[in-house]
Amino acid sequence: MLNSICCEKNLLRQAERAYHSHMAYLYLDDSKHHRFGFSLAAFVICEANPSGYLSSVFRERRFNPKEFEYKSSAKMAGDNRLRDLRDAMKYYVGRHCKVAVCVVNGDNRLGPTALRLLSLALTHPSLEGQDHEVFFDEGLFKSPKSAADLAATEAKLARCNFHFEQDSKKHLGIQLADLVAHTCSTILLETLGHVTKKVVLDTPGDSIYDSQEVKLGFEMWAGIRYAFLARNKQLLSDDIDPAMVDVCPWGLFIDESASEQVSEAAMQRFGENYLGCIH
């Protein structure tokens, strides 16, 4: 999933201009890891409703979108169709979406914490001052009413049209959020030292990375790094790489319930991002 194209300094500014003045479709799903002390929820922020495109992607790979549901937890070894579908969904996220994540301890605070993340994400220049459609997966709040009541207390969310307790088979963007939540959770697990798996890259035409063995978390990060909601650093100095951008607070929120270890790992891995050449 790596490529050898170096990022231009103005890449993020171009992405912000592309999003500016357009209503977005936001989808949220989560990935729970109680054993390791955290749960992570991810927003996928799409420039257009992705359902039509994803339906065609599913059908091209002989999956019925009305019956089949993509789950990142499914075993993919030896299933080329499922792996191909995953790669197609990753490609869509990387080319047409932005992502934002939040981290909590346990899962009781996932829904409220996601609303807090959303209120911060909406201060990003590409999203602020616009109307948005927001879809939450099932099980994140006690009820749709309790979720709506909580959202109504935050002025920054007033222009969002919320859809709580949604079926991901009806709103395929939630399945994109499942993919992103799983990806970012795996990256965080590796940062915490719980994942040590390595993968051999299959990148024909890339003389540096093809057939090279790298850490799974690095491969996942390299494939999603451009999608994080972020901004160029406002203050630059000689010791700051201009290819580094700030993700926090727009694309990352860490709940106070998270342990110090998890908080530090999440900030280390997601708090800022490198958009330059990785060779």
Side-chain angles (χ1 to χ4, degrees):
M1 300 302 294
L2 300 174
N3 63 66
S4 58
I5 301 176
C6 291
C7 172
E8 299 292 338
K9 287 184 181 180
N10 65 350
L11 178 65
L12 192 60
R13 291 195 182 95
Q14 292 174 349
E16 289 182 0
R17 287 197 295 269
Y19 267 71
H20 193 65
S21 77
H22 292 288
M23 178 184 75
Y25 291 79
L26 297 92
Y27 302 87
L28 184 113
D29 204 352
D30 64 276
S31 182
K32 301 178 179 68
H33 301 275
H34 295 162
R35 176 185 173 190
F36 302 109
F38 75 92
S39 292
L40 182 148
F43 276 109
V44 171
I45 307 165
C46 304
E47 55 193 13
N49 188 331
S51 292
Y53 174 80
L54 290 175
S55 291
S56 66
V57 167
F58 276 44
R59 292 191 180 96
E60 286 172 2
R61 289 153 182 83
R62 305 191 307 280
F63 293 106
N64 184 343
K66 293 183 178 180
E67 299 177 357
F68 174 81
E69 181 179 12
Y70 175 84
K71 287 289 187 182
S72 295
S73 58
K75 299 296 183 182
M76 299 193 186
D79 192 331
N80 291 333
R81 275 199 308 147
L82 196 53
R83 293 169 65 180
D84 187 42
L85 176 62
R86 177 192 61 191
D87 290 345
M89 293 171 69
K90 283 184 176 180
Y91 181 87
Y92 184 86
V93 169
R95 299 302 187 276
H96 301 285
C97 307
K98 292 296 179 185
V99 303
V101 301
C102 61
V103 180
V104 304
N105 181 25
D107 56 34
N108 290 334
R109 294 170 62 91
L110 264 175
T113 301
L115 287 175
R116 178 59 179 150
L117 168 64
L118 179 59
S119 68
L120 292 168
L122 294 183
T123 66
H124 192 275
S126 65
L127 297 171
E128 66 180 346
Q130 303 165 42
D131 299 323
H132 302 294
E133 298 288 335
V134 185
F135 300 82
F136 279 71
D137 192 29
E138 299 169 310
L140 293 166
F141 297 93
K142 293 180 179 179
S143 68
K145 183 180 184 305
S146 66
D149 289 344
L150 184 59
T153 65
E154 176 53 69
K156 292 186 179 68
L157 305 180
R159 297 185 65 171
C160 292
N161 184 24
F162 285 103
H163 309 268
F164 297 109
E165 296 294 316
Q166 295 300 304
D167 184 347
S168 64
K169 290 182 182 178
K170 295 181 179 179
H171 301 286
L172 301 186
I174 295 176
Q175 296 184 44
L176 290 177
D178 170 88
L179 171 67
V180 172
H182 178 267
T183 297
C184 292
S185 290
T186 303
I187 294 171
L188 182 54
L189 284 168
E190 183 180 274
T191 304
L192 288 164
H194 302 308
V195 171
T196 58
K197 181 179 178 180
K198 293 186 177 182
V199 294
V200 177
L201 299 176
D202 180 17
T203 55
D206 190 326
S207 59
I208 295 180
Y209 279 112
D210 189 37
S211 300
Q212 181 175 334
E213 187 179 66
V214 300
K215 291 182 178 180
L216 175 63
F218 176 81
E219 188 268 346
M220 287 183 158
W221 168 79
I224 201 173
R225 62 183 177 137
Y226 294 119
F228 275 94
L229 194 63
R231 297 197 69 187
N232 289 310
K233 289 183 175 294
Q234 300 302 299
L235 298 176
L236 292 177
S237 61
D238 292 340
D239 59 342
I240 296 179
D241 191 328
M244 293 295 295
V245 297
D246 287 324
V247 175
C248 189
W250 311 277
L252 172 67
F253 178 71
I254 303 171
D255 186 66
E256 61 184 12
S257 66
S259 69
E260 182 177 353
Q261 181 185 23
V262 169
S263 297
E264 290 179 354
M267 184 59 70
Q268 173 190 337
R269 183 67 279 182
F270 303 123
E272 61 180 7
N273 204 3
Y274 179 68
L275 298 183
C277 182
I278 54 178
H279 290 184

